Amino acid sequence: IVGVRGYVFQEMVESTNPAREIETIIHGLQFYSDKDIGSFSPRCTNGTKFEESFPGYYIHYVQGYFDEYIRQIQFIWRSTDAL
């Protein structure tokens, strides 16, 4: 997997305290290969498109935090020289 793309948008959501908060929501997340073969095509394309890839690197693993939504996501990249 050499890249990831998707969409983010701002949405008012219930928070753990009584107030409502505006959160950044990630949706339509797609991982793809060096031949641009993707995990799926995002059906929902609302929001701001993002894409992350680095020539000579691949996604080694993904970590983050979620509950009802993805709250945090981090992609750990590794050099293809390490293969």
Coordinates of all heavy atoms in Angstrom, one line a residue:
I1 N 0.9 -1.2 0.0 CA 0.0 0.0 0.0 C 0.9 1.2 0.0 O 1.7 1.4 0.9 CB -0.9 0.0 1.2 CG1 -1.9 -1.2 1.2 CG2 -1.7 1.3 1.3 CD1 -2.7 -1.4 2.4
V2 N 0.8 2.0 -1.0 CA 1.7 3.2 -1.2 C 1.0 4.5 -0.9 O 1.6 5.6 -1.0 CB 2.4 3.2 -2.6 CG1 3.2 1.9 -2.8 CG2 1.3 3.3 -3.7
G3 N -0.3 4.5 -0.7 CA -1.0 5.8 -0.5 C -2.4 5.6 0.1 O -2.9 4.5 0.2
V4 N -2.9 6.7 0.6 CA -4.2 6.7 1.2 C -4.9 8.0 0.8 O -4.2 9.0 0.6 CB -4.2 6.6 2.7 CG1 -3.4 7.7 3.4 CG2 -5.5 6.5 3.3
R5 N -6.2 7.9 0.5 CA -7.0 9.1 0.1 C -8.3 9.0 0.8 O -8.8 7.9 1.2 CB -7.1 9.3 -1.4 CG -7.7 8.2 -2.1 CD -7.9 8.4 -3.6 NE -6.6 8.3 -4.3 CZ -6.4 7.3 -5.2 NH1 -7.3 6.3 -5.4 NH2 -5.2 7.2 -5.8
G6 N -9.0 10.1 0.9 CA -10.3 10.1 1.4 C -10.9 11.5 1.5 O -10.4 12.4 0.9
Y7 N -11.9 11.7 2.3 CA -12.5 13.0 2.5 C -12.7 13.3 4.0 O -12.9 12.4 4.8 CB -13.9 13.0 1.8 CG -13.8 12.9 0.3 CD1 -13.7 11.7 -0.3 CD2 -13.8 14.0 -0.5 CE1 -13.6 11.5 -1.7 CE2 -13.7 13.9 -1.8 CZ -13.6 12.7 -2.4 OH -13.5 12.6 -3.8
V8 N -12.6 14.6 4.3 CA -12.9 15.0 5.7 C -13.9 16.2 5.6 O -14.0 16.9 4.6 CB -11.6 15.5 6.4 CG1 -10.6 14.4 6.6 CG2 -11.0 16.7 5.7
F9 N -14.7 16.3 6.7 CA -15.6 17.4 6.8 C -15.9 17.7 8.2 O -15.6 16.9 9.1 CB -17.0 17.1 6.0 CG -17.8 16.0 6.6 CD1 -18.8 16.2 7.5 CD2 -17.5 14.7 6.2 CE1 -19.6 15.2 8.0 CE2 -18.3 13.6 6.7 CZ -19.3 13.9 7.6
Q10 N -16.4 18.9 8.5 CA -16.7 19.4 9.8 C -18.2 19.0 10.1 O -19.0 19.3 9.3 CB -16.5 20.9 9.9 CG -15.1 21.3 9.6 CD -14.1 20.9 10.7 OE1 -14.3 21.2 11.9 NE2 -13.0 20.3 10.3
E11 N -18.4 18.5 11.3 CA -19.8 18.2 11.7 C -20.0 18.5 13.2 O -19.1 18.2 14.0 CB -20.1 16.7 11.4 CG -21.5 16.3 11.7 CD -21.8 14.9 11.3 OE1 -21.8 14.6 10.1 OE2 -21.9 14.0 12.2
M12 N -21.1 19.0 13.6 CA -21.5 19.2 15.0 C -21.8 17.8 15.6 O -22.7 17.1 15.0 CB -22.6 20.1 15.1 CG -23.0 20.5 16.5 SD -21.8 21.7 17.2 CE -22.2 23.2 16.4
V13 N -21.1 17.4 16.6 CA -21.4 16.1 17.3 C -21.5 16.3 18.8 O -21.1 17.3 19.3 CB -20.3 15.1 17.0 CG1 -20.2 14.8 15.5 CG2 -18.9 15.6 17.5
E14 N -22.2 15.3 19.4 CA -22.3 15.3 20.8 C -20.9 15.0 21.4 O -20.2 14.2 20.9 CB -23.3 14.3 21.3 CG -24.7 14.5 20.8 CD -25.4 15.7 21.4 OE1 -25.0 16.1 22.6 OE2 -26.2 16.3 20.7
S15 N -20.6 15.7 22.5 CA -19.3 15.5 23.1 C -19.5 14.8 24.5 O -20.7 14.6 24.9 CB -18.5 16.8 23.3 OG -19.1 17.6 24.2
T16 N -18.5 14.5 25.2 CA -18.6 13.8 26.5 C -19.1 14.8 27.5 O -19.7 14.4 28.5 CB -17.2 13.2 26.9 OG1 -16.3 14.3 26.9 CG2 -16.8 12.1 26.0
N17 N -19.0 16.1 27.3 CA -19.5 17.1 28.2 C -20.9 17.5 27.6 O -21.2 17.2 26.5 CB -18.6 18.2 28.5 CG -18.2 19.0 27.2 OD1 -19.0 19.1 26.3 ND2 -17.0 19.5 27.1
P18 N -21.7 18.3 28.3 CA -23.0 18.7 27.8 C -23.0 19.5 26.5 O -24.0 19.6 25.8 CB -23.6 19.5 29.0 CG -22.8 19.1 30.2 CD -21.5 18.7 29.7
A19 N -21.9 20.1 26.2 CA -21.8 21.0 25.0 C -21.6 20.2 23.8 O -21.2 19.0 23.8 CB -20.6 22.0 25.2
R20 N -22.0 20.8 22.7 CA -21.8 20.1 21.4 C -20.5 20.7 20.8 O -20.2 21.8 21.1 CB -23.0 20.4 20.4 CG -24.2 19.7 20.9 CD -25.4 20.1 20.0 NE -25.3 19.8 18.6 CZ -25.7 18.7 18.0 NH1 -26.3 17.8 18.7 NH2 -25.5 18.6 16.7
E21 N -19.8 19.9 20.1 CA -18.5 20.3 19.5 C -18.5 20.1 18.0 O -19.1 19.2 17.5 CB -17.4 19.5 20.1 CG -17.2 19.8 21.6 CD -16.0 19.0 22.2 OE1 -15.5 18.1 21.5 OE2 -15.7 19.2 23.4
I22 N -17.7 20.9 17.3 CA -17.5 20.6 15.9 C -16.3 19.7 15.8 O -15.2 20.0 16.3 CB -17.3 22.0 15.1 CG1 -18.5 22.8 15.2 CG2 -16.8 21.7 13.7 CD1 -18.4 24.2 14.5
E23 N -16.4 18.6 15.1 CA -15.4 17.6 14.9 C -15.1 17.5 13.5 O -15.9 17.7 12.6 CB -15.8 16.3 15.5 CG -16.0 16.2 17.0 CD -14.8 16.0 17.7 OE1 -13.7 15.6 17.1 OE2 -14.8 16.2 19.0
T24 N -13.8 17.1 13.2 CA -13.5 16.8 11.8 C -13.7 15.3 11.7 O -13.2 14.5 12.4 CB -12.0 17.1 11.6 OG1 -11.8 18.5 11.7 CG2 -11.6 16.7 10.2
I25 N -14.5 14.9 10.7 CA -14.9 13.5 10.5 C -14.2 13.0 9.2 O -14.3 13.7 8.2 CB -16.5 13.4 10.3 CG1 -17.2 14.1 11.4 CG2 -16.9 12.0 10.1 CD1 -17.0 13.4 12.8
I26 N -13.6 11.9 9.3 CA -13.0 11.2 8.1 C -14.0 10.2 7.5 O -14.5 9.4 8.3 CB -11.7 10.5 8.5 CG1 -10.7 11.5 9.2 CG2 -11.1 9.8 7.4 CD1 -9.5 10.9 9.8
H27 N -14.1 10.3 6.2 CA -15.0 9.3 5.6 C -14.4 9.0 4.2 O -13.6 9.8 3.7 CB -16.4 9.6 5.6 CG -16.8 10.9 4.8 ND1 -17.3 10.8 3.5 CD2 -16.6 12.2 5.1 CE1 -17.5 12.1 3.1 NE2 -17.0 12.9 4.0
G28 N -14.8 7.9 3.6 CA -14.4 7.5 2.3 C -12.9 7.2 2.2 O -12.3 7.4 1.2
L29 N -12.4 6.6 3.3 CA -10.9 6.3 3.4 C -10.6 5.2 2.4 O -11.3 4.1 2.4 CB -10.6 5.9 4.8 CG -9.2 5.9 5.2 CD1 -8.6 7.3 5.1 CD2 -9.1 5.4 6.7
Q30 N -9.6 5.4 1.6 CA -9.2 4.4 0.6 C -7.7 4.2 0.6 O -6.9 5.2 0.5 CB -9.6 4.8 -0.8 CG -9.3 3.8 -1.9 CD -9.6 4.3 -3.3 OE1 -9.3 5.5 -3.6 NE2 -10.1 3.4 -4.1
F31 N -7.2 2.9 0.6 CA -5.8 2.6 0.5 C -5.6 2.1 -0.9 O -6.4 1.4 -1.4 CB -5.5 1.5 1.5 CG -5.6 2.0 3.0 CD1 -6.8 1.7 3.6 CD2 -4.7 2.7 3.6 CE1 -7.0 2.1 5.0 CE2 -4.8 3.1 4.9 CZ -6.0 2.8 5.6
Y32 N -4.4 2.4 -1.5 CA -4.2 2.0 -2.8 C -2.8 1.6 -3.1 O -1.9 1.9 -2.3 CB -4.6 3.1 -3.8 CG -3.9 4.4 -3.7 CD1 -2.7 4.7 -4.4 CD2 -4.4 5.4 -2.9 CE1 -2.0 5.9 -4.2 CE2 -3.7 6.6 -2.7 CZ -2.6 6.8 -3.4 OH -1.9 8.0 -3.3
S33 N -2.6 0.8 -4.1 CA -1.3 0.2 -4.5 C -0.5 1.1 -5.4 O -1.1 2.1 -5.9 CB -1.5 -1.2 -5.1 OG -2.0 -1.0 -6.4
D34 N 0.7 0.7 -5.8 CA 1.5 1.5 -6.8 C 0.9 1.4 -8.2 O 1.2 2.2 -9.0 CB 2.9 1.0 -6.8 CG 3.1 -0.5 -7.1 OD1 2.1 -1.2 -7.1 OD2 4.3 -0.9 -7.3
K35 N -0.1 0.5 -8.4 CA -0.8 0.4 -9.7 C -2.1 1.1 -9.6 O -3.0 0.9 -10.4 CB -0.9 -1.1 -10.1 CG 0.4 -1.7 -10.4 CD 0.2 -3.2 -10.8 CE 1.4 -3.9 -11.2 NZ 2.6 -3.8 -10.3
D36 N -2.3 1.9 -8.5 CA -3.6 2.6 -8.3 C -4.8 1.7 -8.1 O -5.9 2.1 -8.4 CB -3.8 3.7 -9.3 CG -4.7 4.8 -8.8 OD1 -4.7 5.1 -7.6 OD2 -5.5 5.4 -9.6
I37 N -4.6 0.5 -7.6 CA -5.7 -0.4 -7.3 C -6.0 -0.1 -5.9 O -5.2 -0.2 -5.0 CB -5.3 -1.9 -7.5 CG1 -4.9 -2.2 -8.9 CG2 -6.4 -2.8 -7.0 CD1 -4.3 -3.5 -9.2
G38 N -7.3 0.3 -5.7 CA -7.7 0.8 -4.4 C -8.5 -0.3 -3.6 O -9.1 -1.2 -4.2
S39 N -8.7 0.0 -2.3 CA -9.4 -0.9 -1.4 C -10.9 -0.8 -1.8 O -11.6 -1.8 -1.6 CB -9.2 -0.6 0.0 OG -9.4 0.8 0.3
F40 N -11.4 0.3 -2.2 CA -12.8 0.6 -2.7 C -12.8 2.0 -3.2 O -11.9 2.8 -3.0 CB -13.8 0.3 -1.5 CG -13.7 1.4 -0.5 CD1 -14.5 2.5 -0.5 CD2 -12.8 1.3 0.6 CE1 -14.4 3.5 0.5 CE2 -12.7 2.2 1.6 CZ -13.5 3.4 1.5
S41 N -13.9 2.3 -3.9 CA -14.1 3.7 -4.3 C -15.0 4.4 -3.3 O -16.1 3.9 -3.1 CB -14.7 3.7 -5.7 OG -13.8 3.2 -6.6
P42 N -14.6 5.5 -2.8 CA -15.5 6.2 -1.8 C -16.8 6.6 -2.4 O -16.9 7.1 -3.5 CB -14.7 7.5 -1.5 CG -13.3 7.1 -1.8 CD -13.3 6.2 -3.0
R43 N -17.9 6.2 -1.8 CA -19.2 6.5 -2.3 C -19.6 7.9 -1.9 O -20.4 8.6 -2.5 CB -20.3 5.5 -1.7 CG -20.1 4.1 -2.3 CD -21.1 3.2 -1.8 NE -20.9 3.1 -0.3 CZ -21.0 2.0 0.4 NH1 -21.4 0.9 -0.2 NH2 -20.8 1.9 1.6
C44 N -19.1 8.3 -0.7 CA -19.5 9.7 -0.2 C -18.3 10.6 -0.5 O -17.2 10.3 -0.1 CB -19.7 9.6 1.3 SG -20.3 11.2 2.0
T45 N -18.5 11.6 -1.3 CA -17.4 12.5 -1.7 C -17.7 13.9 -1.2 O -17.2 14.9 -1.7 CB -17.3 12.5 -3.2 OG1 -18.5 12.9 -3.8 CG2 -16.8 11.2 -3.7
N46 N -18.5 14.1 -0.1 CA -18.7 15.4 0.5 C -17.4 15.7 1.3 O -16.8 14.9 1.8 CB -19.9 15.3 1.5 CG -21.2 15.1 0.8 OD1 -21.3 15.4 -0.4 ND2 -22.1 14.5 1.5
G47 N -17.2 17.0 1.4 CA -16.0 17.5 2.2 C -14.8 17.8 1.4 O -14.9 17.9 0.2
T48 N -13.7 17.8 2.0 CA -12.4 18.2 1.4 C -11.6 16.9 1.2 O -11.4 16.1 2.1 CB -11.6 19.1 2.4 OG1 -12.4 20.2 2.7 CG2 -10.3 19.5 1.8
K49 N -11.2 16.7 -0.1 CA -10.4 15.5 -0.4 C -9.0 15.7 0.1 O -8.4 16.8 0.1 CB -10.4 15.4 -1.9 CG -9.7 14.1 -2.4 CD -9.7 13.9 -3.9 CE -9.1 12.6 -4.3 NZ -9.2 12.4 -5.7
F50 N -8.4 14.6 0.6 CA -7.0 14.5 1.0 C -6.4 13.3 0.4 O -7.0 12.3 0.1 CB -6.9 14.6 2.5 CG -7.3 13.3 3.2 CD1 -6.3 12.3 3.4 CD2 -8.6 13.1 3.7 CE1 -6.7 11.1 4.0 CE2 -8.9 11.9 4.3 CZ -8.0 10.9 4.5
E51 N -5.1 13.4 0.3 CA -4.3 12.2 -0.2 C -2.9 12.3 0.4 O -2.4 13.4 0.5 CB -4.2 12.3 -1.7 CG -3.5 11.1 -2.3 CD -3.8 10.9 -3.8 OE1 -4.5 11.6 -4.4 OE2 -3.1 10.0 -4.4
E52 N -2.4 11.2 0.8 CA -1.1 11.1 1.4 C -0.3 10.0 0.8 O -0.8 8.8 0.8 CB -1.2 11.0 2.9 CG 0.2 11.1 3.6 CD 0.0 11.1 5.1 OE1 -0.7 12.0 5.6 OE2 0.7 10.3 5.8
S53 N 0.9 10.2 0.2 CA 1.8 9.2 -0.3 C 3.2 9.8 -0.4 O 3.3 11.1 -0.5 CB 1.3 8.7 -1.7 OG 1.4 9.7 -2.6
F54 N 4.2 9.0 -0.3 CA 5.5 9.4 -0.3 C 6.3 8.5 -1.3 O 6.4 7.3 -1.0 CB 6.2 9.4 1.1 CG 5.4 10.3 2.0 CD1 4.5 9.8 2.9 CD2 5.7 11.7 2.1 CE1 3.8 10.6 3.8 CE2 5.0 12.5 2.9 CZ 4.1 12.0 3.8
P55 N 6.9 9.0 -2.4 CA 7.6 8.1 -3.3 C 8.7 7.4 -2.5 O 9.5 8.0 -1.7 CB 8.2 9.1 -4.3 CG 7.2 10.3 -4.3 CD 6.8 10.4 -2.8
G56 N 8.8 6.1 -2.8 CA 9.8 5.3 -2.2 C 9.5 4.8 -0.8 O 10.3 4.1 -0.1
Y57 N 8.2 5.0 -0.4 CA 7.7 4.5 0.9 C 6.4 3.8 0.8 O 5.7 4.0 -0.2 CB 7.5 5.7 1.9 CG 8.8 6.3 2.4 CD1 9.5 7.2 1.6 CD2 9.4 5.9 3.6 CE1 10.7 7.7 2.0 CE2 10.6 6.4 4.0 CZ 11.2 7.3 3.2 OH 12.4 7.9 3.6
Y58 N 6.1 2.9 1.7 CA 4.8 2.2 1.7 C 4.3 2.3 3.2 O 5.0 2.6 4.1 CB 4.9 0.7 1.3 CG 5.8 -0.1 2.2 CD1 5.1 -0.9 3.2 CD2 7.1 -0.2 2.1 CE1 5.9 -1.7 4.1 CE2 7.9 -1.0 3.0 CZ 7.2 -1.7 4.0 OH 8.0 -2.5 4.8
I59 N 3.0 2.1 3.3 CA 2.3 2.1 4.6 C 2.7 0.8 5.4 O 2.3 -0.2 4.9 CB 0.8 2.3 4.6 CG1 0.5 3.7 4.0 CG2 0.2 2.2 6.0 CD1 -1.0 4.0 3.8
H60 N 3.4 1.0 6.5 CA 3.9 -0.1 7.3 C 2.8 -0.6 8.2 O 2.5 -1.8 8.4 CB 5.1 0.2 8.0 CG 5.8 -0.8 8.8 ND1 6.2 -2.0 8.2 CD2 6.0 -1.0 10.1 CE1 6.7 -2.8 9.2 NE2 6.6 -2.2 10.3
Y61 N 2.1 0.4 8.9 CA 1.0 0.1 9.7 C 0.2 1.4 10.0 O 0.7 2.5 9.7 CB 1.3 -0.6 11.0 CG 2.2 0.1 12.0 CD1 1.6 0.8 13.0 CD2 3.6 0.0 11.9 CE1 2.4 1.5 14.0 CE2 4.4 0.7 12.9 CZ 3.8 1.4 13.9 OH 4.6 2.0 14.8
V62 N -1.0 1.3 10.5 CA -1.8 2.4 10.9 C -2.2 2.3 12.3 O -2.5 1.2 12.8 CB -3.1 2.4 10.0 CG1 -4.1 3.5 10.4 CG2 -2.8 2.4 8.5
Q63 N -2.2 3.4 13.0 CA -2.7 3.4 14.4 C -3.6 4.6 14.7 O -3.6 5.6 13.8 CB -1.5 3.5 15.4 CG -0.6 4.7 15.3 CD 0.6 4.6 16.2 OE1 1.0 3.5 16.6 NE2 1.3 5.7 16.4
G64 N -4.3 4.6 15.7 CA -5.2 5.7 16.0 C -6.1 5.4 17.1 O -6.0 4.5 17.9
Y65 N -7.2 6.2 17.2 CA -8.2 6.1 18.2 C -9.5 6.4 17.6 O -9.7 7.3 16.8 CB -7.9 7.2 19.3 CG -9.0 7.4 20.3 CD1 -9.4 6.5 21.3 CD2 -9.8 8.6 20.2 CE1 -10.4 6.7 22.1 CE2 -10.9 8.8 21.0 CZ -11.2 7.9 22.0 OH -12.2 8.1 22.8
F66 N -10.5 5.6 18.1 CA -11.9 5.8 17.6 C -12.9 5.4 18.6 O -12.6 4.7 19.6 CB -12.1 5.0 16.3 CG -12.3 3.5 16.5 CD1 -13.5 3.0 16.7 CD2 -11.2 2.7 16.6 CE1 -13.7 1.6 16.9 CE2 -11.3 1.4 16.9 CZ -12.5 0.8 17.0
D67 N -14.1 6.0 18.5 CA -15.3 5.5 19.2 C -16.4 5.5 18.2 O -16.3 4.7 17.3 CB -15.5 6.4 20.5 CG -15.5 7.9 20.2 OD1 -15.7 8.3 19.1 OD2 -15.2 8.6 21.2
E68 N -17.3 6.4 18.2 CA -18.3 6.4 17.1 C -17.7 6.9 15.8 O -18.2 6.7 14.7 CB -19.5 7.4 17.4 CG -20.1 7.2 18.8 CD -19.5 8.1 19.8 OE1 -19.8 9.4 19.8 OE2 -18.8 7.6 20.7
Y69 N -16.6 7.7 15.9 CA -15.9 8.3 14.8 C -14.4 8.0 14.9 O -13.9 7.7 16.0 CB -16.1 9.8 14.7 CG -17.5 10.3 14.7 CD1 -18.1 10.7 15.9 CD2 -18.3 10.2 13.6 CE1 -19.5 11.1 15.9 CE2 -19.6 10.6 13.5 CZ -20.2 11.1 14.7 OH -21.5 11.5 14.7
I70 N -13.7 8.1 13.8 CA -12.2 8.1 13.9 C -11.8 9.4 14.5 O -12.1 10.5 13.9 CB -11.6 7.9 12.5 CG1 -12.0 6.5 11.9 CG2 -10.1 8.0 12.6 CD1 -11.6 6.3 10.5
R71 N -11.2 9.4 15.6 CA -10.8 10.6 16.3 C -9.4 11.0 16.0 O -9.0 12.2 16.0 CB -10.9 10.4 17.8 CG -12.3 10.1 18.3 CD -13.3 11.2 18.1 NE -14.6 10.9 18.7 CZ -15.6 11.8 18.8 NH1 -15.4 13.0 18.3 NH2 -16.7 11.4 19.3
Q72 N -8.6 10.0 15.7 CA -7.2 10.2 15.4 C -6.7 9.1 14.6 O -7.0 7.9 14.8 CB -6.4 10.3 16.7 CG -4.9 10.5 16.5 CD -4.2 10.5 17.9 OE1 -4.6 9.8 18.8 NE2 -3.1 11.2 18.0
I73 N -5.9 9.4 13.6 CA -5.3 8.3 12.7 C -3.9 8.8 12.3 O -3.7 9.9 12.0 CB -6.2 8.0 11.5 CG1 -5.8 6.7 10.8 CG2 -6.3 9.2 10.5 CD1 -6.8 6.2 9.8
Q74 N -3.0 7.8 12.3 CA -1.6 8.1 11.9 C -1.2 6.9 11.1 O -1.4 5.7 11.4 CB -0.8 8.2 13.2 CG 0.7 8.5 12.9 CD 1.5 8.6 14.1 OE1 1.2 8.1 15.2 NE2 2.7 9.3 14.0
F75 N -0.5 7.3 10.0 CA 0.0 6.3 9.0 C 1.5 6.2 9.3 O 2.2 7.3 9.2 CB -0.3 6.7 7.6 CG -1.8 6.9 7.4 CD1 -2.3 8.1 7.2 CD2 -2.6 5.8 7.3 CE1 -3.7 8.3 7.1 CE2 -4.0 6.0 7.1 CZ -4.5 7.2 7.0
I76 N 2.0 5.0 9.5 CA 3.5 4.9 9.7 C 4.1 4.3 8.4 O 3.7 3.3 7.9 CB 3.7 3.8 10.9 CG1 2.9 4.2 12.1 CG2 5.2 3.7 11.2 CD1 3.1 5.6 12.7
W77 N 5.0 5.1 7.9 CA 5.6 4.8 6.6 C 6.9 4.1 6.8 O 7.7 4.4 7.7 CB 5.7 6.1 5.8 CG 4.4 6.8 5.5 CD1 3.8 7.6 6.3 CD2 3.6 6.6 4.4 NE1 2.6 8.0 5.8 CE2 2.5 7.4 4.6 CE3 3.7 5.8 3.2 CZ2 1.4 7.4 3.7 CZ3 2.7 5.9 2.3 CH2 1.6 6.7 2.5
R78 N 7.3 3.3 5.8 CA 8.6 2.6 5.8 C 9.2 2.6 4.4 O 8.4 2.5 3.4 CB 8.4 1.1 6.3 CG 9.7 0.4 6.5 CD 9.5 -0.8 7.3 NE 10.8 -1.4 7.6 CZ 10.9 -2.5 8.2 NH1 9.9 -3.2 8.6 NH2 12.1 -3.0 8.4
S79 N 10.4 2.8 4.3 CA 11.1 2.9 3.0 C 11.1 1.6 2.3 O 11.2 0.5 2.9 CB 12.6 3.3 3.3 OG 13.3 3.2 2.0
T80 N 10.9 1.6 1.0 CA 10.9 0.4 0.2 C 12.3 -0.2 0.2 O 12.4 -1.4 -0.2 CB 10.4 0.7 -1.3 OG1 11.2 1.7 -1.8 CG2 8.9 1.0 -1.3
D81 N 13.3 0.6 0.5 CA 14.7 0.0 0.6 C 14.8 -1.0 1.7 O 15.6 -1.9 1.7 CB 15.7 1.1 0.9 CG 15.8 2.1 -0.3 OD1 15.5 1.7 -1.4 OD2 16.3 3.2 0.0
A82 N 13.8 -1.0 2.7 CA 13.8 -1.9 3.8 C 13.3 -3.3 3.4 O 13.3 -4.2 4.2 CB 13.0 -1.3 5.0
L83 N 12.7 -3.4 2.2 CA 12.1 -4.7 1.8 C 13.2 -5.7 1.5 O 14.2 -5.5 1.1 CB 11.2 -4.5 0.6 CG 10.0 -3.7 0.8 CD1 9.2 -3.5 -0.5 CD2 9.1 -4.3 1.8

